[in-house]
Amino acid sequence: MPKRALSFLSAVLALSAPALVRAAEEREAWTPTATTLRANAAGISMSQSVAGLSLSKSGEVSNGGKGIDNYAQYLSDDGAIQATLYVYLPSYADASLAAYMTDKAVMERFGARTHRTAYAAVAVAGHADGAIRAVYDDAADGALTTAAAFLHAGRWVVKLRVTGPTERRKEVLAGLDGMLAGLRFDNPVSIHATKPARLAACPANDGGDARLTTRTVAEPADISLPREGQAPLCVRGKVDTAEGSYDILQQAGAADGAIIVPVDDAGTVVAFDPAKAGRGYQLSIHSVGQTDLYGIYDKVPSARQIAQILDGKDPQTAQAGATADYAANGEMTMRTADTKLR
């Protein structure tokens, strides 16, 4: 199993750690000018000072030196309001899904008093429905307001997070909206229209354990599931693992379509897609800059099996048959299980 990416919610709370300070000093992913900071490969820029917030540091959350998992931290003059811009390259990119998983993470992290007061598509860079904007009040037992925005441009996902004391809520929201307005894109046409995910319950369909019939596949599948909130999704069931409980999602009304299990707010997704040739479902696990391919099952595995896959305890998937690595420049490299390149 691939090592999971650090949750963005955890990352924003740990950006002062010495390891990330060292990463910030490397600067491979960013080009600073006198007034702006540019994510080179993504072609996305932000002013170094925006809405009362100033750039504090920048670097890479993971995959050091590859420029595919980048952050920039902004602070108010007194440091009470913290904001983070993430520009990252998940192999399964979907801003609506990123918003959905961050929503779950915020609710779990900040306690029962936390309530969502805004969650809707907004315009960005002249594109209607270009981003999802979310606001959470009374977080951390009423002490904090936290807000976020999500968008998908080309192959990249952009995430903004701004957090500050409840009594400075107006500044928190001004920071988020200022950063959204301050984003600049080399190619604004690349912005995908996105809307919040529409979720409902769907008939449970756990037909027992599946069997892995083919251990290797030639290439990653283009998961045949509508993204960016284009069509309703439903919760087929839940997977309970040692690290948490996760929803099994499918397109509403498409019982034989693709199945996904989002794992975190940093782009980790388990997917079962109908195999191109013959019957069965191809298993792939997506993360930042990487897709691991585990072969084809004769049917969708049970929730118990999916839990074993996530926990690394499924005897059928001890090792990926192949891995697709995605570079910031758009190149993909396939590696087989014996690490030979082809």
Side-chain angles (χ1 to χ4, degrees):
M1 292 293 295
K3 183 179 180 181
R4 293 182 197 166
L6 177 67
S7 162
F8 283 145
L9 188 61
S10 299
V12 75
L13 296 174
L15 282 175
S16 60
L20 283 183
V21 173
R22 290 193 296 272
E25 294 171 353
E26 295 174 1
R27 302 271 185 190
E28 288 97 340
W30 301 93
T31 297
T33 69
T35 58
T36 65
L37 186 70
R38 172 182 166 82
N40 300 321
I44 297 172
S45 303
M46 175 75 76
S47 296
Q48 292 198 32
S49 180
V50 57
L53 302 170
S54 298
L55 179 67
S56 171
K57 55 189 173 182
S58 62
E60 297 177 74
V61 178
S62 66
N63 295 275
K66 294 185 178 180
I68 59 173
D69 193 10
N70 315 307
Y71 81 91
Q73 186 182 46
Y74 288 73
L75 299 173
S76 60
D77 288 343
D78 60 2
I81 299 174
Q82 301 184 28
T84 310
L85 162 66
Y86 298 100
V87 181
Y88 63 107
L89 182 67
S91 62
Y92 187 89
D94 183 343
S96 180
L97 191 63
Y100 166 71
M101 291 304 292
T102 300
D103 182 84
K104 292 184 65 176
V106 167
M107 294 298 188
E108 291 172 2
R109 169 66 178 81
F110 287 116
R113 283 189 60 182
T114 307
H115 60 282
R116 187 192 314 112
T117 54
Y119 196 73
V122 296
V124 64
H127 289 256
D129 297 336
I132 295 171
R133 178 181 180 274
V135 178
Y136 302 87
D137 285 307
D138 291 328
D141 292 327
L144 299 174
T145 292
T146 187
F150 312 83
L151 63 96
H152 181 185
R155 299 174 299 119
W156 300 82
V157 169
V158 177
K159 177 175 177 176
L160 300 169
R161 277 288 310 279
V162 185
T163 301
T166 295
E167 62 270 19
R168 296 173 66 174
R169 181 180 189 271
K170 289 184 179 180
E171 293 174 72
V172 171
L173 300 190
L176 178 69
D177 293 337
M179 293 180 79
L180 264 176
L183 285 168
R184 295 292 179 265
F185 302 85
D186 289 0
N187 182 19
V189 176
S190 69
I191 298 172
H192 299 246
T194 188
K195 295 181 179 180
R198 292 169 286 163
L199 295 177
C202 54
N205 190 355
D206 196 333
D209 289 354
R211 182 171 57 90
L212 190 67
T213 60
T214 303
R215 288 195 171 273
T216 60
V217 293
E219 59 185 14
D222 185 11
I223 306 303
S224 55
L225 190 73
R227 305 189 196 187
E228 307 301 349
Q230 294 177 10
L233 303 178
C234 61
V235 181
R236 173 188 175 112
K238 288 190 177 294
V239 175
D240 295 317
T241 75
E243 295 189 13
S245 180
Y246 311 106
D247 294 333
I248 305 173
L249 304 179
Q250 67 183 55
Q251 184 178 355
D256 297 326
I259 307 294
I260 62 170
V261 183
V263 175
D264 58 32
D265 62 331
T268 306
V269 176
V270 177
F272 298 94
D273 198 64
K276 292 182 179 178
R279 300 171 60 183
Y281 286 80
Q282 177 177 327
L283 165 62
S284 55
I285 298 180
H286 302 258
S287 55
V288 174
Q290 181 173 310
T291 298
D292 291 299
L293 307 174
Y294 288 86
I296 297 172
Y297 284 85
D298 59 351
K299 59 182 178 181
V300 176
S302 65
R304 183 191 68 81
Q305 279 184 299
I306 298 174
Q308 287 186 323
I309 291 169
L310 284 169
D311 285 335
K313 296 180 179 179
D314 178 35
Q316 300 183 87
T317 57
Q319 180 174 287
T323 296
D325 292 314
Y326 299 89
N329 63 5
E331 294 180 355
M332 181 186 76
T333 302
M334 289 291 294
R335 291 184 286 119
T336 58
D338 60 5
T339 70
K340 292 180 180 178
L341 298 180
R342 58 182 175 89

